[in-house]
Amino acid sequence: MAATPPTPAPPRILLAGDAHGRLHQLFKRVKSVNQSTGPFHALLCVGQFFSPEGDAEGAPGDVAEYLEGRAAVPIPTYFIGDYGPAAPRLLSKAAAGARGFTPGGIEICPNLFWLRGSNGFTLHGLSVVYLSGKKGPGGPGCYSQDDVDALRALAEEPGIVDLFLTNEWPTGVVNGADNSNVPNQILDPHGYDPVVAELVADIKPRYHIAGTKGVFYSREPYVNDSAAHVTRFIGLANVGNKEKQKFIHAISPTPASTMSSADIHAKPPNATLSPYAAPAKSVSMEEASKRPADNTDGQYWRYDVKRQRQGEAEGGRLCFKFTSSGSCPRGSKCHYRHDEEAVEHYQRNVCFDFLNKGKCERGPECKFAHSLSGDTSVGDAKPCSERRRVESSCWFCLSSPDVESHLVISIGEAYYCALAKGPIVPNHVLMIPVEHCPSTLMMPPEAEVELGRYKNALVKYFEKQGKTAVFFEWVSQHSRHANLQAVPVPFSKADAVNKIFHLAAKRLGFEFSVVNPDGAKAARESLISQSESKSSIFYVELPEGKILLHMIDGNEKFPAQFGREVLAGLLSMADRADWRNCKLTKEEEIKMVDDFKQGFHEFDPAE
């Protein structure tokens, strides 16, 4: 009888508070801890990573020595505190030549990763979610509304988040805790953020790590509303603080994805109620378990604008996933409200916070509308398909008022081509079904033939420029309108495409399968035969004709921009991994389209 393989040891992670640019002191301590009680797999830094002193031209601190290669980072280190007077200058210079892709960080020097914006990634089996930057008026070092909304959507996805990293503490974290011996700094309102409280109440991580307040605090575990597991909050002090407060802390959590149900449900005897549900009281665990689920699932910040307008005091909370996409993977089990009217308002550019709160704290700086009258910047949308009302403002339906028709470069019978909005490179092309269809793999055979002609035309067009084509598509269970992306890659980097996608997959904890490596046409036919309408997949068609395929598990948090992020890394354009960083004016987009059409004219199969 074969022996049972040993259970792998859980990863060992170090946590650190605000570095304030004192990297020599931080890494000296890391080396010491690593030698005495290690090895540790990674260091996660929260709070301000850069020095708070100096100015944009130059600031004290040790960061530059590591960026310039004069000092080495001892273990893989990830940071989210991307602010400080010199931070924009140092990060923009580093990001310009950065390697890698963004969900797991931009590698700004060997072993040092900048976690920018908000996202989630897998680190040694652990699900890690982060919010970079801090609350502020916007700009460098401040998180954006898009960053917050992305995490709200992530919170709707199935699966348990192991670690949630933020710079500032969540407002109310001490509610219901034993505060008899807490330091005075904890009672100081500075360094608390209500938005972080909203997010952690939604995400329900097993560990929440934060910095900024300059004090170490390990709160008693608390139970989460409508979730089996408890959350542990750890606040960390500044590196090298004079009060000798703890600024580095070690944990070794078993990934939730490998834990037994009994372990996930385990509740320590000192666990409290969630500090974010309602004004917390000292209620016993026995009493808490007897409360109705509808009462304990109380995130105060979401409420029903529609009922509020009617004068009703109570209302349901909107599901961001459903409101933004028209569907929710939890279906009837979702604890938030699925409102078709809210979907229509959202698709007409109405602010999500306005729909929930009846107001938006961003005021005139908000990019979205604060009116339900229909008098918005987008205007009333008309349906492009009777199958779903939410298709009324589909970005890719040619009959939709939201389609950006000035980006269209060619229209065929079943497909049309458009330049990508916020492209990685100027000739970044999307091939889009004319009919509303969630996957190109579901299109009829005659449409597949036309798609083949467009792909061949793009290959020839790119070859004329000394480049090859890489095609990729992400098909989610909740995809609304398909688009197959084509990105030109210089011949000199064509051989590296296969390697970098495999490397990126390994970093996210999966392996690609190779679909029928005998040729591009046969491979795609095999891919179509394998695909199922209800499956979520990602595939990339390599220059040599092979197709790499990943079947996405229902509980897997797969980054929607994975293909783009990998190619941005390959092209040494990591700062262009997020399309929002690459937006052009409409005039620039029109010129880009005109330039493309001039060169593509001789290859266009629709001509």
Side-chain angles (χ1 to χ4, degrees):
M1 183 175 177
T4 303
T7 303
R12 309 188 70 203
I13 307 296
L14 288 175
L15 310 170
D18 305 60
H20 284 170
R22 304 185 189 105
L23 297 198
H24 291 336
Q25 186 172 358
L26 171 63
F27 292 140
K28 180 180 179 181
R29 182 68 181 276
V30 168
K31 288 178 183 176
S32 174
V33 172
N34 206 34
Q35 289 172 359
S36 60
T37 60
F40 288 89
H41 295 90
L43 167 67
L44 304 178
C45 298
V46 293
Q48 185 165 345
F49 192 72
F50 296 88
S51 174
E53 302 173 9
D55 53 38
E57 294 303 316
D62 313 321
V63 180
E65 293 192 34
Y66 293 87
L67 299 184
E68 294 166 6
R70 290 180 279 122
V73 180
I75 66 174
T77 299
Y78 301 78
F79 70 91
I80 58 171
D82 52 1
Y83 47 93
R89 175 179 59 84
L90 292 172
L91 289 175
S92 62
K93 181 179 179 181
R99 304 174 297 281
F101 56 102
T102 55
I106 297 175
E107 189 174 12
I108 62 175
C109 73
N111 265 355
L112 184 59
F113 299 87
W114 171 24
L115 299 175
R116 181 172 62 175
S118 69
N119 216 319
F121 68 107
T122 302
L123 180 67
H124 296 284
L126 296 170
S127 171
V128 181
V129 171
Y130 57 87
L131 177 66
S132 182
K134 60 181 179 178
K135 183 180 180 181
C142 297
Y143 61 73
S144 69
Q145 188 62 43
D146 287 341
D147 295 330
V148 173
D149 288 346
L151 292 186
R152 287 176 178 168
L154 184 148
E156 306 286 353
E157 299 290 343
I160 297 175
V161 171
D162 292 303
L163 304 176
F164 182 36
L165 311 178
T166 64
N167 291 309
E168 294 174 301
W169 287 29
T171 300
V173 68
V174 298
N175 290 341
D178 179 5
N179 296 329
S180 57
N181 294 311
V182 300
N184 291 331
Q185 296 100 309
I186 291 179
L187 303 178
D188 182 350
H190 175 73
Y192 284 110
D193 185 349
V195 174
V196 173
E198 297 167 2
L199 289 173
V200 73
D202 256 7
I203 295 170
K204 302 175 178 65
R206 293 172 57 219
Y207 289 84
H208 179 193
I209 319 299
T212 302
K213 288 191 68 65
V215 62
F216 177 79
Y217 176 61
S218 180
R219 190 199 189 280
E220 301 98 322
Y222 62 82
V223 296
N224 286 289
D225 299 327
S226 66
H229 61 281
V230 298
T231 294
R232 291 170 168 83
F233 174 80
I234 300 172
L236 292 153
N238 304 339
V239 172
N241 64 89
K242 295 179 181 178
E243 294 79 17
K244 305 297 182 182
Q245 287 275 338
K246 189 175 184 180
F247 66 81
I248 197 163
H249 184 74
I251 59 174
S252 184
T254 300
S257 58
T258 65
M259 291 173 66
S260 68
S261 177
D263 288 340
I264 289 174
H265 282 75
K267 290 181 174 61
N270 65 335
T272 74
L273 292 177
S274 169
Y276 312 115
K281 300 177 182 179
S282 298
V283 181
S284 70
M285 294 298 299
E286 182 178 355
E287 289 176 341
S289 65
K290 295 177 181 177
R291 291 187 174 187
D294 287 344
N295 291 336
T296 58
D297 185 26
Q299 291 169 283
Y300 60 90
W301 60 280
R302 295 179 187 261
Y303 58 89
D304 187 342
V305 173
K306 183 178 178 182
R307 292 191 181 187
Q308 185 192 40
R309 293 200 311 270
Q310 296 170 347
E312 296 180 27
E314 198 174 35
R317 294 141 296 176
L318 290 174
C319 167
F320 178 79
K321 185 72 173 179
F322 185 88
T323 305
S324 61
S325 68
S327 64
C328 171
R330 295 182 182 178
S332 61
K333 295 181 180 179
C334 182
H335 296 284
Y336 307 126
R337 190 164 56 86
H338 296 172
D339 189 327
E340 291 283 356
E341 183 180 346
V343 172
E344 291 187 353
H345 285 309
Y346 184 86
Q347 296 295 343
R348 289 175 180 147
N349 218 32
V350 177
C351 169
F352 182 73
D353 278 346
F354 180 80
L355 289 173
N356 272 296
K357 300 179 181 180
K359 64 179 181 179
C360 172
E361 295 176 359
R362 301 179 74 198
E365 294 182 1
C366 182
K367 299 178 292 185
F368 303 98
H370 299 151
S371 169
L372 302 182
S373 66
D375 183 20
T376 70
S377 60
V378 176
D380 290 332
K382 300 294 187 292
C384 62
S385 170
E386 294 301 324
R387 289 177 298 170
R388 291 178 62 189
R389 295 168 66 191
V390 296
E391 293 170 11
S392 61
S393 57
C394 173
W395 287 2
F396 298 124
C397 282
L398 289 174
S399 58
S400 168
D402 287 348
V403 69
E404 302 209 44
S405 56
H406 66 281
L407 291 173
V408 175
I409 54 178
S410 176
I411 301 179
E413 292 294 326
Y415 278 89
Y416 74 94
C417 292
L419 292 185
K421 190 168 186 66
I424 301 177
V425 290
N427 291 336
H428 182 174
V429 176
L430 308 183
M431 287 161 283
I432 306 164
V434 172
E435 293 295 323
H436 194 88
C437 182
S439 169
T440 66
L441 303 176
M442 296 169 60
M443 294 289 284
E446 58 270 23
E448 181 66 17
V449 172
E450 185 179 63
L451 178 62
R453 289 198 293 266
Y454 268 123
K455 289 165 66 180
N456 290 336
L458 288 171
V459 167
K460 292 176 182 176
Y461 176 59
F462 293 158
E463 283 179 351
K464 193 174 180 180
Q465 303 166 5
K467 298 176 182 178
T468 187
V470 177
F471 302 97
F472 65 91
E473 183 179 13
W474 178 54
V475 182
S476 165
Q477 293 180 17
H478 312 292
S479 296
R480 297 175 60 198
H481 200 138
N483 62 89
L484 178 64
Q485 303 196 37
V487 176
V489 172
F491 285 145
S492 61
K493 296 193 174 184
D495 291 341
V497 175
N498 181 43
K499 181 179 179 181
I500 195 170
F501 269 99
H502 279 292
L503 181 64
K506 183 178 180 182
R507 191 165 165 189
L508 286 182
F510 70 88
E511 291 186 6
F512 279 112
S513 60
V514 180
V515 180
N516 198 346
D518 296 328
K521 184 177 179 181
R524 188 165 173 88
E525 289 173 353
S526 178
L527 177 64
I528 291 172
S529 67
Q530 293 181 40
S531 66
E532 298 177 0
S533 61
K534 294 184 179 180
S535 297
S536 294
I537 66 171
F538 173 86
Y539 68 93
V540 55
E541 300 181 30
L542 303 176
E544 61 265 37
K546 291 192 299 186
I547 293 181
L548 303 181
L549 170 66
H550 176 48
M551 305 294 290
I552 301 169
D553 184 81
N555 295 324
E556 182 178 350
K557 293 180 173 65
F558 188 81
Q561 299 296 322
F562 178 71
R564 179 184 178 115
E565 290 159 352
V566 175
L567 290 178
L570 174 69
L571 297 172
S572 299
M573 299 176 177
D575 57 324
R576 301 186 69 82
D578 188 334
W579 70 272
R580 292 168 295 190
N581 295 335
C582 311
K583 289 181 181 178
L584 303 172
T585 65
K586 188 171 183 178
E587 291 72 23
E588 291 172 328
E589 289 175 337
I590 291 172
K591 184 180 186 304
M592 184 174 65
V593 168
D594 289 340
D595 292 343
F596 185 95
K597 283 182 175 179
Q598 257 189 333
F600 187 62
H601 176 76
E602 64 180 291
F603 307 106
D604 190 349
E607 290 287 337

